[in-house]
């Protein structure tokens, strides 16, 4: 959704033009979140009076390039009046925003920052950027309008700076001398309802920024210059581990034992960066404070302090006492991602890069989580030898040990029992197995990942599994019980509907487990335990590698929960064997990108597409349809093949492209029947089949084909892992369809990467 970026320096030589470039670069790093307009607000001075701070606000509808051009034009036009090369060694502060419209159409006036101006001079007094929704903005707007404040925009956000002005104007001179910026913001935030992250700037408090969070993500990055951490490293960081219910990478992530810098006043040269996302901070520093709900962070004088919200909201404007928030400590943590992860790395688009990163992403998801129990081991006490200790990267990548023709992996397991190690889940495994139900709650692509893995979870655990779309669960107020275990699956860990469903489940006493790709996200912090997906940063709005890795994680959870089942031992070993074959097989699929591109050329002018799947691959059909519609804007529909004769068959004729997923599994014969029914209606078929399926391949290589079917082949793995391979050709198909149709692959219209509002 919306993206927030802020910058403040202390004892560093930075001029206004440099600050603006940092803002624009930060906004470009946040583009993937989705937006329709953008804006910046930064400090400068007049040529004739360099003691007076002047806030320049530039906003533009459209992309960041248009905003950048508007900024350059503003600097040219106002260059004689304003010194854009002014150096503020202490306290240069600025805020920026990408807006995804919720209240009011995309326009310059509705863009952020939203402002409150002096009634006399018209100069900016208060600036606010906002990610989220203020649900009580209407009564606040009515109240403020009745007190004479004029509104310019249609946004819910504008009530916030206007409320700041109302509160400030209500102070007498003595109160203004005593109150600080954080206290004003705390009083204002106490009157707001909804989900939001906010960043405040004011001419009444030059050289200060205040950020607050309730529901939407916000980070504070800290960079100390000349103090040994210009590269963003965090000296003295403690060993990383999984614990306290936070989903962390088994080999790294957020430092759980880092230093507490909740109040830092070092007096040295330093810079502070606020952002909705780590991707906009990591090129400047890796040291961050991850704000939690209710936090207010006040940055001034080369230091910062963190305050937590009171338990009860104060009511009545002017009724909340100063300092209602209380000072707390927050961990200074270390980001795991590198700058290279937020760059395209030679690919044309982020989505293309992320599709091709999937083999290595699968390796990272498995790294340190697969162990072999053997009779002896060259290391340790001899009871267990993990792949990590044997050099897991070499082993997992040496899928050259596994024959390219799909040969078995038995040499890896000879004399050993494979086990799955999920540190975040271990203490709760027994409770999960005793549950009445396992309920997977998600939205969009994450829901499809749950659907793809549901069957194997039921099979291995013998516990009933239910799937819930988060929004529907809340709409129905579905019954949840204390002996239910709810898994909340989200790439970002910040999805609003999923977070609300999580709070709903917690109130009903269910055990809550998180599965997320973002360390330190709200879901990872709010759940009792969980597993980090480890897929790496995703920039493209359409999820690719997170989807395949989410399926893999859920399969690994099923393997973990069933490890003591003797009756399931053979099945578990079959799945474990094929886990290590997945990366090499996926690389072979990716080498066929040219074939997929040719198919995309044939389909590029179509207006509709149907996709049929069954069993494990019903999710594949749904995910294909979602990718095609959200990226290429072609109507597409994923259909359960068993429902073909219950309506969808009426759509089939010689002009309707129909994709059928018919790889080798227990339902292959039923899918062959589906193919025959489509052929009988002269359907235009695209078939995904297994390489060894000679019956289908020979049939369509004969004269009967008559050019009505295009064939894509993939390797065969264990049925529960097959959807991980099967989706890759369709990810490539949706990518090339979008490119050929001339649309933006990484930023589809009207969509956002992280849906942080309902």
């Amino acid at each position: 959704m919306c993206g927030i970026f802020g910058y403040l320096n202390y004892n560093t030589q930075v001029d206004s033009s440099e600050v603006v470039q940092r803002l624009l670069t930060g906004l470009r790093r946040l583009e993937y979140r989705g937006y329709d307009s953008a804006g910046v607000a930064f400090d400068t001075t007049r040529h004739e009076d360099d003691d007076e701070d002047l806030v320049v606000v530039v906003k533009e509808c459209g992309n960041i390039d248009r905003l950048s051009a508007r900024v350059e034009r503003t600097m040219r036009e106002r260059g004689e009046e304003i010194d854009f090369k002014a150096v503020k060694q202490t306290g240069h502060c600025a805020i920026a925003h990408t807006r995804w419209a919720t209240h009011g159409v995309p326009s310059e006036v509705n863009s952020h920052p939203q402002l409150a101006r002096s009634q006399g001079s018209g100069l900016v007094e208060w600036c606010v950027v906002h990610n989220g929704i203020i649900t009580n903005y209407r009564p606040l707007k009515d109240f403020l309008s009745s007190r004479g404040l004029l509104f310019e925009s249609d946004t819910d956000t504008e009530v916030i700076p206007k409320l700041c002005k109302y509160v400030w104007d209500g102070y007498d001179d003595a109160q203004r001398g005593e109150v600080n910026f954080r206290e004003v913001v705390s009083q204002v935030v106490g009157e707001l309802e909804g989900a939001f992250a906010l960043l405040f700037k004011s001419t009444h408090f030059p050289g200060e920024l205040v950020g607050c969070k309730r529901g939407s993500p916000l980070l504070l990055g800290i960079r100390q210059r000349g103090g040994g951490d210009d590269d963003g490293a965090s000296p003295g960081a403690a060993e990383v581990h999984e614990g306290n219910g936070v989903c962390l990478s088994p080999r790294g992530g957020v430092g759980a034992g880092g230093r507490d810098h909740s109040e830092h006043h070092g007096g040295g040269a330093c810079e502070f960066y606020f952002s909705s996302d780590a991707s906009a901070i990591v090129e400047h520093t890796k040291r961050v404070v991850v704000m939690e709900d209710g936090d207010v962070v006040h940055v001034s004088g080369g230091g910062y302090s963190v305050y937590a919200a009171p338990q009860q909201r104060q009511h009545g404007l002017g009724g909340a006492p100063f300092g209602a928030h209380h000072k707390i400590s927050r961990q200074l943590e270390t980001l795991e991602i590198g700058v290279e992860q937020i760059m395209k790395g030679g690919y044309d688009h982020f989505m293309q890069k992320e599709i091709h990163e999937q083999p290595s992403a699968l390796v990272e998801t498995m790294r340190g989580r697969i162990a072999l129990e053997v009779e002896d081991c060259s290391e340790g006490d001899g009871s267990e030898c993990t792949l990590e200790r044997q050099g897991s990267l070499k082993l997992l990548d040496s899928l050259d040990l596994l024959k390219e023709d799909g040969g078995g992996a038995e040499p890896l397991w000879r004399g050993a029992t494979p086990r799955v190690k999920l540190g975040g889940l271990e203490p709760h495994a027994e409770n999960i197995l005793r549950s009445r139900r396992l309920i997977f709650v998600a939205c969009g692509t994450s829901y499809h990942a749950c659907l793809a893995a549901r069957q194997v979870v039921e099979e291995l655990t013998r516990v009933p599994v239910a799937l819930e779309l988060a929004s529907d669960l809340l709409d129905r107020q579905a019954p949840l019980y204390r002996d239910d275990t709810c898994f909340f699956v989200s790439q970002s860990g910040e999805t609003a509907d999923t977070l609300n469903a999580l709070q709903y489940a917690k109130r009903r006493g269910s055990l809550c487990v998180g599965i997320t790709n973002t360390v330190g996200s709200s879901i990872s912090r709010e759940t009792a335990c969980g597993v980090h997906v480890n897929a790496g940063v995703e920039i493209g709005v359409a999820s690719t590698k997170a989807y395949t890795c989410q399926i893999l994680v859920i399969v690994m959870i099923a393997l973990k929960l069933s490890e003591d089942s003797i009756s399931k031992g053979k099945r578990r070993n079959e799945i474990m064997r094929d886990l290590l074959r997945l990366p090499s097989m996926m690389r072979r699929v990716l080498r066929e990108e040219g074939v997929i591109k040719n198919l995309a050329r044939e389909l590029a002018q179509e207006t509709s597409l149907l996709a049929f799947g069954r069993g494990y691959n019903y999710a594949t059909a749904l995910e294909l349809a979602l990718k095609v519609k959200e990226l290429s804007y072609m109507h597409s529909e994923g259909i359960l093949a068993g429902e073909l004769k219950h309506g969808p068959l009426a759509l089939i004729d010689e002009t309707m492209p129909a994709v059928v997923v018919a790889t080798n599994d227990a339902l292959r014969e039923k899918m062959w029947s589906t193919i025959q029914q489509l052929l009988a209606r002269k359907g235009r078929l695209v078939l995904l089949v297994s390489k060894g399926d000679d019956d289908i391949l020979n049939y369509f290589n004969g004269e009967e084909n008559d050019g009505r079917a295009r064939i894509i082949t993939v390797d065969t793995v264990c049925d529960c892992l097959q959807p991980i391979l099967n989706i890759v050709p369709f990810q490539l198909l949706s990518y090339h369809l979008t490119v050929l149709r001339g649309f933006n692959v990484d930023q589809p219209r009207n969509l956002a990467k992280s849906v942080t509002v309902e």
Side-chain angles (χ1 to χ4, degrees):
M1 305 297 286
C2 302
I4 290 173
F5 188 77
Y7 170 79
L8 185 147
N9 72 303
Y10 185 81
N11 283 348
T12 57
Q13 296 286 331
V14 182
D15 67 37
S16 300
S17 60
E18 291 179 80
V19 171
V20 170
Q21 290 309 310
R22 295 190 191 199
L23 296 181
L24 293 173
T25 299
L27 293 183
R28 292 185 194 280
R29 300 288 181 254
L30 298 173
E31 280 187 300
Y32 75 96
R33 295 172 63 86
Y35 72 106
D36 45 53
S37 57
V40 297
F42 57 95
D43 292 331
T44 187
T45 60
R46 299 184 190 275
H47 285 294
E48 66 274 11
D49 186 1
D50 58 6
D51 292 329
E52 180 186 0
D53 284 330
L54 183 68
V55 177
V56 175
V57 179
V58 183
K59 302 192 285 187
E60 183 62 87
C61 192
N63 60 28
I64 305 302
D65 290 337
R66 293 187 61 178
L67 175 64
S68 178
R70 181 70 176 270
V71 169
E72 291 180 6
R73 188 165 68 250
T74 299
M75 288 183 171
R76 287 195 307 269
E77 293 172 351
R78 303 186 66 183
E80 294 184 4
E81 170 198 1
I82 297 174
D83 183 5
F84 289 104
K85 292 295 182 180
V87 175
K88 290 173 62 67
Q89 184 168 332
T90 301
H92 225 321
C93 64
I95 59 178
H97 187 267
T98 53
R99 177 177 185 255
W100 193 84
T102 57
H103 295 72
V105 299
S107 67
E108 182 178 330
V109 70
N110 287 333
S111 302
H112 296 202
Q114 287 293 307
L115 312 171
R117 299 178 183 271
S118 169
Q119 291 182 343
S121 64
L123 296 177
V124 174
E125 291 186 28
W126 303 89
C127 305
V128 176
V129 289
H130 168 216
N131 174 22
I133 287 182
I134 307 301
T135 55
N136 65 331
Y137 84 98
R138 286 187 179 276
L140 288 174
K141 186 173 183 178
D142 292 342
F143 173 85
L144 293 168
S145 296
S146 70
R147 297 302 190 273
L149 283 93
L150 301 178
F151 285 79
E152 302 172 356
S153 76
D154 299 320
T155 68
D156 55 335
T157 305
E158 193 180 1
V159 300
I160 304 172
K162 295 296 193 291
L163 187 55
C164 289
K165 179 172 175 56
Y166 174 81
V167 170
W168 179 258
D169 289 349
Y171 297 153
D172 57 32
D173 290 341
Q175 288 175 315
R176 290 182 183 182
E178 295 176 0
V179 70
N180 65 38
F181 197 2
R182 189 269 309 170
E183 290 168 340
V184 176
V185 169
S186 296
Q187 186 172 355
V188 169
V189 170
E191 302 302 327
L192 303 179
E193 297 175 0
F196 51 77
L198 300 168
L199 189 56
F200 294 78
K201 171 180 170 59
S202 174
T203 55
H204 296 294
F205 300 95
E208 301 182 33
L209 290 177
V210 175
C212 61
K213 173 191 184 311
R214 186 193 298 166
S216 297
L218 192 62
L219 307 174
L220 171 66
I222 300 105
R223 181 182 185 185
Q224 289 180 283
R225 291 185 175 273
D229 65 333
D230 275 0
D231 60 354
S234 180
E239 182 181 355
V240 174
H241 65 276
E242 292 193 41
N244 301 324
V246 181
C247 304
L248 300 178
S249 161
R251 61 179 181 84
V254 175
R259 299 172 296 163
D260 173 19
H261 288 258
S262 59
E263 184 171 18
H264 164 73
H265 292 277
C270 55
E271 295 173 314
F272 298 90
Y273 297 86
F274 281 95
S275 179
S276 298
D277 195 291
S279 61
I281 293 179
V282 67
E283 62 193 285
H284 304 291
T285 180
K286 290 191 175 183
R287 304 167 65 213
V288 300
V289 174
V290 180
M291 295 173 60
E292 298 190 8
D293 280 353
D295 283 0
V296 175
V297 173
H298 185 193
V299 180
S300 66
Y304 69 95
S305 299
V306 185
Y307 297 81
Q311 293 298 313
Q312 299 295 327
R313 189 173 79 87
Q314 303 290 334
H315 291 279
L317 291 176
F322 297 145
H325 285 63
H326 59 279
K327 184 177 289 188
I328 57 168
S329 297
R330 282 283 178 256
Q331 181 108 355
L332 184 61
E333 302 173 346
T334 303
L335 294 174
E336 183 183 67
I337 65 172
V339 176
E340 68 281 354
Q341 292 181 268
I342 61 172
M343 303 299 180
K344 293 179 183 176
Y347 290 93
D348 293 330
H349 302 90
F350 282 111
M351 181 182 178
Q352 185 184 32
K353 175 187 178 227
E354 288 153 10
I355 291 172
H356 284 267
E357 285 177 340
Q358 287 179 108
S360 59
L362 294 175
V363 171
E364 294 304 310
T365 300
M366 291 186 282
R367 185 191 299 279
R369 290 172 167 170
I370 297 177
L372 302 180
E373 288 192 349
V374 293
E375 294 182 0
D376 54 33
C377 182
S378 58
E379 293 184 50
D381 59 9
S383 62
E384 185 176 279
C385 183
T386 67
L387 296 189
E388 183 73 23
R389 285 165 58 189
Q390 292 183 16
S392 69
L393 182 59
K394 179 179 178 182
L395 182 57
L396 290 176
D397 262 345
S398 122
L399 304 175
D400 331 300
L401 289 174
L402 312 169
K403 301 174 184 175
E404 285 289 317
D405 61 3
E410 284 77 7
L412 295 174
W413 312 120
R414 192 169 296 158
T417 302
R419 299 175 73 88
V420 171
K421 307 288 287 185
L422 298 174
L425 217 60
E426 304 275 343
H428 299 272
E430 291 186 10
N431 289 338
I432 294 172
L433 278 173
R434 287 197 294 266
S435 301
R436 176 198 300 203
R437 297 177 297 173
L438 305 180
I439 303 171
F440 286 83
V441 184
C443 304
T445 288
S446 295
Y447 179 83
H448 297 162
C450 298
L451 179 61
R454 172 180 60 179
Q455 187 174 331
V456 73
V457 177
E458 286 179 327
E459 177 189 354
L460 293 181
T461 65
R462 307 310 301 167
V463 179
V465 175
L467 301 184
E468 292 283 357
L469 286 165
S471 58
D472 186 54
L473 173 75
L474 294 167
D475 290 345
R476 293 175 11 243
Q477 294 288 290
L480 300 177
Y481 304 100
R482 295 180 62 86
D483 52 357
D484 288 330
T485 294
C486 297
F487 293 82
F488 295 88
V489 187
S490 167
Q491 188 280 137
S492 67
E494 303 290 348
T495 307
D497 285 325
T498 308
L499 276 171
N500 291 337
L502 168 58
Q503 297 301 328
Y504 176 82
K506 288 174 70 174
R507 290 195 297 270
R508 280 149 183 78
S510 302
L511 176 62
C512 296
V513 182
I515 301 175
T516 174
N517 192 42
T518 307
V519 171
S521 63
S522 295
I523 285 180
S524 69
R525 291 173 180 270
E526 293 290 333
T527 46
C529 59
V531 182
H532 184 229
V533 173
N534 275 358
V537 176
E538 264 194 347
I539 302 297
V541 168
S543 182
T544 51
K545 61 181 180 178
Y547 172 73
T548 51
C549 290
Q550 281 173 341
I551 298 174
L552 182 57
V553 162
I554 299 172
V555 171
M556 292 173 71
I557 289 173
L559 291 168
K560 173 63 186 175
L561 296 176
S562 63
E563 65 184 9
D564 293 329
S565 172
I566 297 175
S567 63
K568 299 297 180 184
K570 182 178 179 182
R571 171 67 162 159
R572 289 184 72 260
N573 286 346
E574 175 190 354
I575 298 171
M576 295 285 286
R577 177 201 67 200
D578 281 358
L579 280 178
L580 298 188
R581 303 170 62 197
L582 277 174
S584 64
M585 289 184 168
M586 190 173 284
R587 290 188 187 98
R588 290 201 288 272
V589 175
L590 290 168
R591 288 199 287 266
E592 301 299 317
E593 184 171 3
V595 175
I596 306 300
K597 188 173 182 179
N598 289 335
L599 175 61
R601 290 192 181 99
E602 296 181 28
L603 299 175
Q605 302 305 315
E606 300 297 333
T607 59
S608 190
L609 179 73
L610 303 180
F612 295 92
R614 195 165 190 152
Y616 287 106
N617 283 299
Y618 176 40
T620 304
L622 291 175
E623 180 63 9
L624 161 61
L626 177 61
K627 287 291 169 284
V628 169
K629 71 179 70 168
E630 70 179 340
L631 292 173
S632 70
Y633 315 146
M634 178 192 299
H635 168 260
S636 54
E637 185 176 351
I639 300 171
L640 185 66
E643 294 295 299
L644 177 62
K645 291 190 287 292
H646 297 277
L649 194 57
L651 295 172
I652 301 299
D653 60 21
E654 63 274 10
T655 65
M656 175 64 73
V659 178
V660 182
V661 185
T663 46
N664 275 335
D665 58 26
L667 300 176
R668 185 268 186 193
E669 291 305 317
K670 291 186 176 182
M671 292 309 300
W672 176 241
S673 175
T674 298
I675 292 171
Q676 291 298 323
Q677 292 178 62
L678 296 174
L679 286 173
R681 275 75 180 180
K682 300 182 180 180
R684 288 178 55 198
L685 303 187
V686 176
L687 306 180
L688 182 73
V689 302
S690 299
K691 286 183 177 178
D693 195 335
D694 292 335
D695 289 343
I696 292 181
L697 293 175
N698 291 337
Y699 180 89
F700 285 101
N701 283 334
E703 295 181 0
E704 297 89 343
N705 183 9
D706 194 26
R708 285 189 295 152
R710 295 291 180 265
I711 308 293
I712 305 170
T713 60
V714 293
D715 289 317
T716 302
V717 291
C718 183
D719 53 4
C720 65
L721 301 176
Q722 193 70 51
I724 297 176
L725 285 185
N726 288 356
I727 195 59
V728 177
F730 300 137
Q731 291 172 342
L732 291 169
L733 177 63
S734 61
Y735 168 77
H736 286 293
L737 274 175
T738 306
V739 173
L740 290 167
R741 289 164 69 91
F743 299 120
N744 190 325
V745 175
D746 291 327
Q747 297 163 34
R749 68 189 180 204
N750 304 332
L751 299 181
K753 181 66 176 175
S754 179
V755 184
T756 56
V757 295
E758 293 183 277

